[in-house]
Amino acid sequence: MNEILIIARKELLSVVRERRVLLTTLLLPMLMMPLAMFGPLLLLGNAARQTQENVQQVGVVGVPAPVLAHLRKAKVEPVAVANPQEAVQKREVAAALVYAEGQYTLYGRLSRGTTQSALVVEKVQGALQAYKEELVAERLRARGLGTELLEPFRLETKDASPQEEQAAGVFAFLIPYFLVMFIQLGGMSVAVDATAGEKEKGTLEALLAAPVPLTQVLLGKGLAVFVMSLLAAMAAITGLLLGSSVFRNLFAVQLQALQREDRPVQLGGALALEPLGYLAVALTSVLFALLIIAILISLGLYARSYKEAQSYMSPLSLVMIIPLLFLQFSDFLKLQDWYFALPLINVLLALDAIVRGSATATQLGLTWLSTLAFGGLALYLAYRNFQREDVVFRN
Amino acid sequence: MIEVVQIEKAYRKFQAVRGISFEVRPGEVYGLLGPNGAGKTTTLRMLATLLKPTAGSARVAGFDVARQSLEARRNLGIVNGGMKVYDKLTGYEVLDFFGSFYDLWGAKLKERIGWAAELLHIEQAVLNKQVKDMSTGMQQKIVIARAILHQPQVLLLDEATAGLDVFARRALLDFVKQYASLGKTLVYSTHVMSEAEEVCNRVGFIHQGSLVYEGPLQEALELGSGNLERAFIRRLKEAA
């Protein structure tokens, strides 16, 4: 046990002396989490507000005068264009409106989601809707009828999702991904340094010649990687908790401006769990860290150099992106319990369920047991790798 | 103190070491001489328990290198030319780290570090520097200090002067003679014959994994009419 601590201490001491590693392992997750959760939203919110407040040019063809007046009222400047589609494509105008034979056709650059053109299209749609409502009201009045005729009943939609899910916000599905990513990234630099780095620098042989059993060398290195992984995860959670609170208070007005009036939701992403929920997140993260460090150390030992180790480890981050894509649509999927026995994927699913407050005991039990089993297997493989002379002296 | 009996090492179809036997007694410096790729490093790594022999046996300080590897390691030190120590640690931290594996703590550790520093001419101020800020020669001295901190009965030196300047090389050769004079057992592996002539009592010529000659230095010199390099080439030609 003593040797394990001595080796872990040495690895951590080397890390502490490397400012670059400390920055990427501890500071980056702390800053990244709130920025990733709220940064794009605030940028988008700011851009949307500016688009609303400023006047944009919209190409028009055959549009009647009353509609032009509505467009101007909606802060849009109509300009005559010969070819509306081409004018939009060449960005001469943000959108274009054509009227012919009782039909309006609206052109905008819509294939990239939320663009300035899309926001201007919404402004034009709003102006047309206002004009339409004005016409309908006029016609109803001409027939001696009121507009209440069009609204036979009122509809109110209320969010019935669990409290945790409501508080987590619309970007909550990103939290598990960032958490596992930082656990992996936090451990990666130490894992590379403690394995392939030692080989490349020529320090491993001296350590292996010391009277320390191989298991203790492996566990000592693993412990150092584990500590850094968990510190990175804690930094990420701290960043998320502090950052979301700061952002939601500091930019309350801007975030409010982004809300849909008919269905208000918590924007960004944050954690708001019961103590047991935090405990579940911690346990899932610890077990995942065990699994990932065993994989990282195994790969690092096999590699000849830093570069080779990094090239083996980097694809792991890409592997994590695949389940993330599914997480976005997890509500449409019928989650089977056995999904929670699949390595790596189960951790993302379980963290997502905890964050949303929908995790069941079976799902969490399966995740923890299978992650522990896979972690044990990975650790055993790392030990076997460490025993192989052709791997240790492969440099 | 070192007994090697018909030791072999094979990697799949490649036979790196072929049935080597020799003995080294306390106070002796045994020169294991041969060109690059002859099998010197593999032999020393087997003695240091870093590699497992595929046949034969070896005992270091009375312990079987395959079956009692931890006990053997407690009684040996190894230095090779490519060996380095942790560059972000200070010299003192490196010695503290390795010393703790041999139950060297507190006052005892300080006393041993002082002893090794004096033997290798390392100034106290240098020990407080991070290894990356030291000269190559000084780094090599820290590597050696690490290997002798527990005062091992057996010291294995593999191309230990590689990359060293003339002053550092001289200091190392002087240290080898001084350490042997303490009654320690040394194996000095090199392809530089002049170094072997200076520090070794007995020599073994290794070629393509086989020991083609073994005997006292004086006898080897006579074989080459007073020149070890000539003796080495002559013996290798005879073996071919």
Side-chain angles (χ1 to χ4, degrees), chain A residues 2-3 6-7 9-11 13-15 17-18 193 198 201-214 221 306 388-390 393 395, chain B residues 9 11-12 41 45 48-52 70 73-74 76 78 80 82-90 93 96-98 100-102 105 130 146:
Chain A
N2 199 20
E3 273 91 357
I6 292 166
I7 292 168
R9 183 176 158 268
K10 188 277 295 173
E11 298 294 351
L13 191 60
S14 298
V15 173
R17 300 241 163 102
E18 184 101 53
D193 204 49
E198 282 229 35
K201 287 180 192 164
T203 54
L204 187 61
E205 204 167 328
L207 179 59
L208 295 178
V212 187
L214 221 44
K221 287 177 179 293
Y306 278 100
R388 284 176 54 189
E389 291 168 0
D390 59 329
F393 292 102
N395 53 5
Chain B
K9 183 68 186 175
Y11 298 99
R12 292 196 181 97
T41 299
R45 279 180 172 166
T49 78
L50 295 168
L51 297 177
K52 276 202 165 65
L70 283 183
R73 276 185 229 166
R74 277 195 195 98
L76 69 84
I78 182 167
N80 70 38
M83 200 177 259
K84 298 277 186 297
V85 286
Y86 308 107
D87 60 353
K88 289 183 203 93
L89 268 53
T90 64
E93 284 166 346
D96 179 16
F97 174 67
F98 283 101
S100 58
F101 298 135
Y102 302 94
W105 308 95
Q130 281 188 32
R146 165 210 61 84

Side-chain angles (χ1 to χ4, degrees), chain A residues 300-315:
Chain A
L301 277 174
Y302 185 73
R304 289 186 187 93
S305 62
Y306 278 100
K307 264 190 181 174
E308 200 177 310
Q310 276 167 340
S311 66
Y312 289 150
M313 292 175 190
S314 299

